[in-house]
Amino acid sequence: MPGVKSPSDWRSYALTHHPGIIIIRNPFTERGRRYWIARCLRDYPRTPNIVNLNERLFDDSVRSDWWKQLSLCRDRAEFQRMKSAMRWTTFGYHHNWDTKHYEERMQSQFPEDLGSLCRLFASTLGYCDFKPEAAIVNYYPVGSTLSGHTDHSEPNQTAPLFSFSFGQTAIFLIGGRTLEEKPTAVYLQCGDVMIMSGESRLCYHAVPRIMKTRRPGNSPLTNEDADDADHDTHLVDMGLFQNVGDASFWEPFSNYIDDSRININVRQVLNIGDLKLGP
Ligand code: SIN
């Protein structure tokens, strides 16, 4: 897949006290990381995907195409307000934050490229039947946090969950099935992929801190990134994949992640053999 190193070059780790957690340290090329950051900012928060932006605070044009309006905004204070207000977008089956239940009628298309990316990691780890069906992209300005929770809304709680980190570094706490168990802290850095599988799939986790550890990545792309052209080019938006190598195209994305983190969280919703959610 363009933008992802060969699985034989991945550095993968398991956590001794948390069976089922797998961390693959940045298996992406620089161009690959830029591609997913641009997708998360420019494309995924667009209608018909759902975003957190409140209708009393933002008009329809912002809520339906946040990045475009942010790019057009010339007022410094308004730019900052719009930028920091974006906290999540959902697609595929939409996660309902209030009921914590998915509904058959509440879904938008799951993007082909992200589906291919997840299937690549899933099949390499032996989860050949994994179906990416719901995604939450979380946007974290430096200083923001995510409190402790478990991900248990999915009828299918045995399929693994795939989590991709981009931009600034998170301190990620992984605990146990109850709040009694002591959590372990790990750094999730730009490009890291974390898989919550098996026993850890339903464990408590939290993001208590985002740390500004990365300098703006505006340096020219390396030969490794030129090699990306040899892969299955139909799996990504090739126009965007090329454009992120252009310094002026990449600049606004680079500015965004200079003080923010992005997390893509992908789950399978349906149980094996089910074609849709029950009533
Ligand atoms: C989540 O648990 O929904 C997000 C975790 C993360 O940001 O790494």
Side-chain angles (χ1 to χ4, degrees), residues 12-15 18 20-24 125 127 193-197 200:
S12 311
Y13 301 88
L15 296 185
H18 301 275
I21 293 283
I22 301 164
I23 297 173
I24 307 175
L125 295 171
Y127 295 100
V193 182
M194 190 182 64
I195 297 98
M196 296 177 77
S197 65
S200 75

Side-chain angles (χ1 to χ4, degrees), residues 160-207:
L161 179 157
F162 291 84
S163 167
F164 302 89
S165 293
F166 296 104
Q168 300 301 330
T169 300
I171 296 181
F172 182 85
L173 291 183
I174 176 72
R177 292 282 190 111
T178 69
L179 288 170
E180 311 309 310
E181 288 160 68
K182 200 170 161 221
T184 299
V186 287
Y187 288 127
L188 292 180
Q189 290 167 325
C190 188
D192 288 348
V193 182
M194 190 182 64
I195 297 98
M196 296 177 77
S197 65
E199 275 185 52
S200 75
R201 171 63 182 80
L202 290 172
C203 285
Y204 276 93
H205 54 282
V207 179

Side-chain angles (χ1 to χ4, degrees), residues 58 62 66 68-84:
F58 295 97
V62 180
W66 165 77
K68 181 175 176 200
Q69 296 308 317
L70 193 66
S71 313
L72 294 172
C73 181
R74 296 286 166 266
D75 180 273
R76 218 182 152 97
E78 179 57 9
F79 180 91
Q80 204 46 46
R81 186 180 82 95
M82 274 167 66
K83 179 181 168 190
S84 59

Side-chain angles (χ1 to χ4, degrees), residues 97 136-140 146-147 149-151 161 163-165 170-173 188 194 196 205-207 210 261-265 267:
W97 304 86
I136 303 173
V137 178
N138 294 294
Y139 303 88
Y140 295 90
L146 181 71
S147 52
H149 65 281
T150 60
D151 295 318
L161 179 157
S163 167
F164 302 89
S165 293
I171 296 181
F172 182 85
L173 291 183
L188 292 180
M194 190 182 64
M196 296 177 77
H205 54 282
V207 179
I210 308 295
R261 169 177 182 254
I262 299 172
N263 170 255
I264 314 178
N265 217 277
R267 300 114 194 251

